[in-house]
Amino acid sequence: MWNSVAASAVLPIVAGLLVAIDPAACFLSSAGSTRGNTPHVPGQAERPLLGRNAGSSGSGNTHLLALPRVIVFDLDNTLWTPELYQLRRLERKNQIPIAGRDVELFEGARQVLEDILPGLGGTEDEPKPMLAIASRTNKVDWAEDLLDQFQLRDRFDAIEIFPGIKTNHFAKIQRSTKVPFHEMMFFDDARDGRYGNCEPVAAMGVFCVHCPDGLNTGEVFERALDLYQNEWDKTPNTIVESNGEMKINVPRKFESPPRASSKTFTGVVKLVKREKYYGFIKYRVDHGKQRTKEIFFHFNNVATEPRSSIQEGDSVTFQIRKDYKNSNKDMAFNVDRVGGDEDSSDKALFRCFSMNNPFAAMLANGYKTLETRNGTMFSEYSEGTQMLLHVGQRTYPDGGKHLDIIRAAQPGISDEEIQTLKRMPKGFSKGNIVAIVEIGKTYEASLSERSVPDFERKVVAYGPDSGRIVTEIKRVAYLKRPIRQRGEAGVFNVKIDPKVLPDGWTIPTTSADTRVFEISG
C-alpha cells in the first residue's frame, strides 16, 4: 500500500538515481535567468554550496559549477567596521586605529576568511580562488596598517587601496592576476550613486554582491557563491541585492568615463607632488610652432614600476583621456618612463621598508636595536639581509612614552641628548630613504618577554605597545645622501645609485632568502 511511509523511503532513492545520472540536471532544471529589473526569487529548498564538495557533472553545463577565479572584497563596512573616515577623533589626536579596539572585523567576514574559503577548491581540476582587496578609502596608511594588525595581508594575492572609482582598482587586479572580469566575484557595501561601486564594476562583467550591512554573516557569501555557480550565465550588469535576489541587466545610473585616445604622446615630467601623489607633464602640441602644454597625471596611472620612482625631468610617454572627476579636463594615463629601466641599468636593487619618526631616527642613529611588528613583514628574510630605511611622512603618536623609557634607562640624560637621538643629519628628512640596515634574527616574543626593561629600551616602547614579532637590527648607517622616495606598505623594492652607500656596505645579491621565522612555545 502506497502511503507516506513508503513515499519517504522511495523518494530519496529516486533522487539519488537522478543525481547519479546527471547531478547538474537536478540543480539546473528549475534554474532560470531573469532579465531587466525582475529579480530571481530563491525557491523554498536551498541548493547546496557546490563549490565545496561537488565534482564535475559531465552534462555540458559544468561551466556553471566553476568557482570564481578571483574573489574581491571592499574593506570599509564590508570586511570591517566602522568606515575609517568616521574615526575623526583619532585623526584629531594624530593617532592610528587599533585592530580589535577601534576597528572590528565583521563576524561573517571572519567566518568567510577562516572557515569557508579554506574549504573551496584546492584540487588539480579546480584550484583555490585568488583573493583581492579593492578599497577606495582615503585613509590608505590606516588601511594598510590594519591589514597587518589583523594579519590579513598574506591571505590576499592583490591589494589595491587608493581613492577613486573602483573600475581603476579592477583594471589593476585584472592586469596582475590575468583573470577575465567575468570570472571574478566582488563584495561591496556601496551599490550606486556618486560613491557607488557595484554598478560600475558590474558593467565590467564582474559578478557583484551588494552587502550594505557588510559581511555580517557567512550566509551572505554562501548565497552569492551559490548564485554564481548555479544561476549566473556571465551576463554583465549583474548584482546580487541585499535580500539575496539576483538582478541581471541592472540599468546603470553610473556613466562611464569618456573613452581614451589611443594616440601616444611624449613629454617631460615638470612637477611631482609626492605627498599628494600627482604631477604634471610638459609636452608639445604643435611641433611647427613649438607650442607646449601641461597635463595632469596621478601616480595610479603610472605604468613604470615602482610608480613612485617617477622624477622631475624624466622623459615619458603617455596617453590622454578625460578626467570625469575634474570637469572632464584632459589627464594623462599609462605614463611610462622612456626607455623603461635602461636609464637605471647602473643602479642596484634593494629591499626597503618604511618607519615613522621618532622611531625611524632612533633606529638610524643606532639607539633602537629591535623592531617589532604584529605582522610577519620581516619573517621571510634571513639574518644578514640588507635593507634600506625609509622615513614616512607622519610622526608616530605614542604620547611621549619613548621619552619615559629613555630617561628610565639613562638617568640624568639631558633633553638635548634625547633630541640628538631623535634627530637626523641635516638634509635627511621625512619622505626620504635615509639609511641602510642589516637585520638579524626574527622571532616571536610573548608579552612577558617584551615587558622586560632591557627589551623595552631596545625597542623604545613598553611591552604592551610593542608587536609580538621581533626583528634584531645588527647594524645601521646613514647613506651618503638621502633619496627622495614615496613609502609603500611592507617590504618594497627600489633601485638606487650604489655610490650613495656608506663605506663598508655591499650591493645585495638577488638570490632568494631562506625563511627563518621562529614561533615560540
Side-chain angles (χ1 to χ4, degrees), residues 151-412:
Q151 299 183 38
L152 295 177
R153 183 177 300 279
D154 292 344
R155 296 176 184 263
F156 292 94
D157 302 277
I159 298 176
E160 298 295 342
I161 306 176
F162 55 87
I165 187 169
K166 287 201 178 173
T167 52
N168 292 334
H169 300 67
F170 273 82
K172 291 177 178 291
I173 292 171
Q174 195 279 326
R175 285 198 295 269
S176 65
T177 63
K178 312 299 183 186
V179 173
F181 293 125
H182 67 270
E183 297 185 41
M184 299 184 187
M185 182 163 65
F186 175 46
F187 293 83
D188 198 290
D189 66 300
R191 186 186 189 279
D192 51 43
R194 181 178 179 183
Y195 299 105
N197 300 313
C198 290
E199 276 196 3
V201 173
M204 304 174 79
V206 177
F207 185 79
C208 291
V209 185
H210 181 215
C211 43
D213 299 320
L215 284 171
N216 52 2
T217 70
E219 293 176 1
V220 175
F221 180 91
E222 291 182 320
R223 175 60 188 157
L225 185 59
D226 182 30
L227 290 170
Y228 178 96
Q229 293 181 291
N230 299 312
E231 303 288 346
W232 189 43
D233 61 0
K234 309 303 182 185
T235 301
N237 298 306
T238 297
I239 297 177
V240 177
E241 303 291 5
S242 56
N243 62 358
E245 299 172 352
M246 183 174 70
K247 290 185 179 178
I248 300 175
N249 282 339
V250 175
R252 297 184 62 201
K253 301 174 185 177
F254 169 81
E255 294 298 328
S256 298
R259 288 187 176 273
S261 167
S262 59
K263 181 178 179 180
T264 299
F265 298 82
T266 59
V268 175
V269 178
K270 181 181 179 181
L271 178 68
V272 172
K273 288 284 188 180
R274 296 194 183 279
E275 67 279 4
K276 300 292 186 180
Y277 220 39
Y278 71 82
F280 286 88
I281 300 169
K282 186 176 182 180
Y283 70 107
R284 290 181 178 178
V285 293
D286 187 335
H287 289 272
K289 297 181 180 180
Q290 302 293 305
R291 189 162 62 92
T292 61
K293 189 176 181 180
E294 293 180 10
I295 188 169
F296 168 88
F297 74 92
H298 194 277
F299 274 38
N300 290 329
N301 292 316
V302 172
T304 301
E305 294 291 348
R307 296 191 291 266
S308 54
S309 66
I310 287 289
Q311 304 282 341
E312 293 175 5
D314 282 348
S315 296
V316 294
T317 59
F318 62 95
Q319 293 170 288
I320 295 177
R321 69 170 172 85
K322 298 294 183 181
D323 185 355
Y324 70 96
K325 294 189 296 183
N326 189 21
S327 303
N328 278 337
K329 293 181 179 179
D330 286 347
M331 70 175 294
F333 77 109
N334 284 342
V335 180
D336 200 3
R337 185 187 293 116
V338 173
D341 290 334
E342 292 177 8
D343 58 348
S344 59
S345 58
D346 59 339
K347 294 185 177 181
L349 182 66
F350 274 82
R351 298 179 179 91
C352 185
F353 68 98
S354 187
M355 292 178 61
N356 290 313
N357 275 332
F359 300 98
M362 289 190 287
L363 191 149
N365 288 325
Y367 186 79
K368 177 180 168 65
T369 57
L370 292 177
E371 170 62 357
T372 66
R373 307 260 171 154
N374 281 317
T376 57
M377 188 172 83
F378 297 108
S379 64
E380 63 182 281
Y381 301 105
S382 60
E383 185 173 351
T385 298
Q386 296 179 12
M387 295 188 179
L388 299 176
L389 171 63
H390 173 270
V391 183
Q393 294 287 353
R394 296 189 300 116
T395 298
Y396 189 87
D398 76 334
K401 294 178 183 178
H402 65 282
L403 301 175
D404 298 334
I405 293 172
I406 293 173
R407 292 185 178 119
Q410 297 176 256

Side-chain angles (χ1 to χ4, degrees), residues 20-191:
I21 296 170
D22 190 350
C26 298
F27 300 114
L28 299 178
S29 60
S30 61
S33 298
T34 308
R35 295 295 185 263
N37 273 326
T38 306
H40 163 75
V41 181
Q44 292 181 350
E46 290 295 325
R47 294 179 175 87
L49 183 61
L50 295 183
R52 297 195 186 184
N53 302 312
S56 57
S57 67
S59 67
N61 289 316
T62 55
H63 66 283
L64 291 179
L65 305 182
L67 291 167
R69 291 175 59 193
V70 179
I71 302 176
V72 187
F73 299 93
D74 173 44
L75 290 177
D76 286 4
N77 205 39
T78 299
L79 286 188
W80 62 46
T81 187
E83 298 194 52
L84 298 186
Y85 81 88
Q86 296 176 303
L87 301 176
R88 298 182 182 90
R89 58 182 178 79
L90 296 180
E91 191 170 25
R92 287 193 294 268
K93 296 179 181 179
N94 197 26
Q95 296 177 350
I96 61 174
I98 303 301
R101 185 190 71 185
D102 305 304
V103 179
E104 296 276 358
L105 282 180
F106 282 107
E107 184 56 38
R110 193 183 302 276
Q111 181 184 354
V112 169
L113 293 171
E114 296 180 357
D115 300 332
I116 299 177
L117 284 171
L120 298 182
T123 66
E124 183 177 349
D125 294 332
E126 187 159 51
K128 287 185 174 295
M130 290 183 279
L131 304 182
I133 292 292
S135 170
R136 61 188 296 177
T137 179
N138 61 358
K139 306 297 183 187
V140 178
D141 291 341
W142 283 7
E144 294 278 8
D145 187 63
L146 284 166
L147 286 177
D148 291 327
Q149 290 188 50
F150 281 119
Q151 299 183 38
L152 295 177
R153 183 177 300 279
D154 292 344
R155 296 176 184 263
F156 292 94
D157 302 277
I159 298 176
E160 298 295 342
I161 306 176
F162 55 87
I165 187 169
K166 287 201 178 173
T167 52
N168 292 334
H169 300 67
F170 273 82
K172 291 177 178 291
I173 292 171
Q174 195 279 326
R175 285 198 295 269
S176 65
T177 63
K178 312 299 183 186
V179 173
F181 293 125
H182 67 270
E183 297 185 41
M184 299 184 187
M185 182 163 65
F186 175 46
F187 293 83
D188 198 290
D189 66 300
R191 186 186 189 279

Side-chain angles (χ1 to χ4, degrees), residues 509-521:
T509 63
T510 58
S511 59
D513 293 288
T514 303
R515 184 175 293 273
V516 293
F517 180 51
E518 299 177 1
I519 300 294
S520 60

